[in-house]
Amino acid sequence: MYSLGVNRLGVINTNQFNPATLFAQGEEGAWYDPSDLSSMFKVDQTTPAVQGQAVGKILDKSGNGHHLVQTVENKCPVLRVDDQGTFCLDFTTDDGMRSTDDFLFADNSVTDMSLFTGCTKESTGINQTIMELSNNLGSQKGCFRILCTSGELWRVIQKGGFGDGETAVANVLQTSAVGNPNRSVLSSIASITAPSHSFKRNGSAVNSNTASLGTGTFGNHVLNVGARADGLSANLDGKIYGVIVRGAFTDADTRIKVDKYMAMKSGVSF
Amino acid sequence: MSTFATVIVTKANLAAAQELTSPNQFTTELKKGFSKYYISSGYFSQEHYDALMSSDILHTFITDDTERPTKTITDLGMTVVTVED
């Protein structure tokens, strides 16, 4: 039986998709999966996480070792099963996690970036962070950010410019108003060297362009999830079902598979 | 080894604070009246922690990891400057 997309008409198989394949060629990046209980720990970083309690560490399943941590208990998200039976990390207005080390996009000369997430925003308000490369995109080069913000919309920013003398341009795409609360699967693929940026929500194109992101590469920065600067500000009031950051271009067929995978993890159908 | 701290410096000392730590720190702007400040909170490497401790640029330095930075900011009468990206 084919439940999620395989048929004789050529529809892409997604139910067997394993995001680990996105990193099979040694691509820099990370994959966080709150539905994998073996990958999460309490704030002590060693005791397995328990549903309904704070999560202080979630392992990077890409093999790159960029684990997310929060060492202050009252800033940790809570592991929950939501109303649709899907596992998620529930962030409130004080919570946030950050990678234990820099993603080495500059060291690996990364100029293409693919971002995927399944998430829910549960309140209005500006600057609610899903993920951000660096502690503050506004003052940094070679970074990205996915957020929900004023006007009840989802916004993604991809920005090049890392390296001495390189120029940074923020390439911004956003949805129209989506209301509140809103559960979405979001994906963004951008290139610095072949200037382009494509943003999809729930598998459908939101917008795309061939505008510049600047020059240089993406930078060596920490990754923040659920807030800015280790939970300090721009906190998400909502849930995150999965995050994939891949420092490489992702082709159209693979993108469909990843979007469908995130949909399955998020309780979104499209 | 790393040590928790919530550190606030004035705008005049921002460059010095980032020189002692990294440009990725002290990126969140605060204000109180017409004055501007920058905050960094979390676990600092021992090198960065010691450098900050021995400097004379600190406006606020709190090592209690049970105190939320948002409370520290509120207690000081400051607010986070929110600039929409």
Side-chain angles (χ1 to χ4, degrees):
Chain A
M1 173 179 166
Y2 303 121
S3 62
L4 248 185
V6 174
N7 61 24
R8 295 187 182 86
L9 301 176
V11 175
I12 294 165
N13 180 358
T14 57
N15 58 348
Q16 297 299 318
F17 179 71
N18 181 353
T21 61
L22 297 170
F23 305 94
Q25 304 302 313
E27 290 90 341
E28 174 67 318
W31 167 30
Y32 307 108
D33 177 12
S35 72
D36 180 355
L37 300 188
S38 69
S39 72
M40 291 176 291
F41 302 89
K42 293 184 176 181
V43 70
D44 65 6
Q45 319 282 299
T46 55
T47 307
V50 175
Q51 188 180 323
Q53 295 184 18
V55 173
K57 184 176 188 179
I58 179 166
L59 300 179
D60 167 16
K61 295 174 66 175
S62 76
N64 286 305
H66 298 306
H67 312 312
L68 292 178
V69 298
Q70 176 51 262
T71 52
V72 180
E73 181 148 15
N74 60 24
K75 292 170 69 177
C76 293
V78 173
L79 174 62
R80 295 196 194 284
V81 175
D82 77 357
D83 56 356
Q84 296 197 25
T86 50
F87 281 97
C88 59
L89 292 176
D90 189 359
F91 290 80
T92 62
T93 52
D94 279 317
D95 302 336
M97 302 186 85
R98 186 164 64 182
S99 62
T100 50
D101 58 357
D102 283 353
F103 284 55
L104 301 178
F105 292 127
D107 289 1
N108 289 287
S109 302
V110 170
T111 58
D112 295 340
M113 188 61 64
S114 303
L115 310 174
F116 303 89
T117 187
C119 51
T120 296
K121 74 182 194 75
E122 296 177 325
S123 68
T124 59
I126 70 171
N127 272 345
Q128 296 187 58
T129 307
I130 302 299
M131 64 173 107
E132 181 169 27
L133 184 70
S134 83
N135 282 328
N136 190 327
L137 173 140
S139 60
Q140 301 290 324
K141 293 181 175 182
C143 36
F144 56 73
R145 188 172 188 217
I146 294 180
L147 67 157
C148 55
T149 193
S150 58
E152 306 287 10
L153 51 80
W154 295 104
R155 178 179 295 163
V156 58
I157 305 165
Q158 297 246 23
K159 184 180 180 184
F162 200 84
D164 289 341
E166 305 290 353
T167 58
V169 178
N171 188 316
V172 183
L173 294 174
Q174 62 189 30
T175 65
S176 54
V178 294
N180 188 70
N182 181 262
R183 182 189 305 237
S184 291
V185 168
L186 308 172
S187 65
S188 164
I189 298 176
S191 174
I192 297 171
T193 50
S196 62
H197 186 189
S198 162
F199 183 26
K200 286 188 174 184
R201 173 175 171 263
N202 296 345
S204 298
V206 170
N207 211 336
S208 63
N209 65 39
T210 54
S212 175
L213 283 70
T215 58
T217 67
F218 286 92
N220 294 343
H221 296 295
V222 290
L223 180 74
N224 284 277
V225 171
R228 171 168 276 177
D230 200 25
L232 194 56
S233 63
N235 306 75
L236 169 69
D237 181 9
K239 298 179 172 67
I240 294 179
Y241 304 91
V243 168
I244 294 174
V245 173
R246 182 177 187 239
F249 178 77
T250 301
D251 64 65
D253 285 353
T254 305
R255 183 179 198 173
I256 292 170
K257 291 179 183 176
V258 185
D259 282 345
K260 287 284 189 180
Y261 166 85
M262 278 297 177
M264 180 181 65
K265 293 292 184 183
S266 309
V268 171
S269 55
F270 57 83
Chain B
M1 181 181 169
S2 58
T3 305
F4 179 86
T6 295
V7 184
I8 297 174
V9 299
T10 63
K11 184 179 181 181
N13 288 324
L14 171 62
Q18 290 182 327
E19 184 78 16
L20 291 173
T21 56
S22 88
N24 247 328
Q25 307 224 20
F26 299 96
T27 55
T28 300
E29 184 178 332
L30 310 174
K31 69 175 181 180
K32 182 178 182 180
F34 294 109
S35 300
K36 293 184 177 180
Y37 305 85
Y38 290 84
I39 183 171
S40 185
S41 180
Y43 280 81
F44 290 81
S45 69
Q46 202 59 44
E47 177 191 358
H48 291 169
Y49 182 86
D50 292 344
L52 288 168
M53 278 286 281
S54 58
S55 74
D56 58 358
I57 64 170
L58 306 181
H59 176 277
T60 302
F61 194 82
I62 292 172
T63 57
D64 177 3
D65 67 4
T66 65
E67 179 171 322
R68 300 181 185 205
T70 47
K71 180 179 184 302
T72 305
I73 293 167
T74 303
D75 288 350
L76 291 168
M78 297 177 180
T79 56
V80 175
V81 176
T82 302
V83 179
E84 188 171 1
D85 287 326

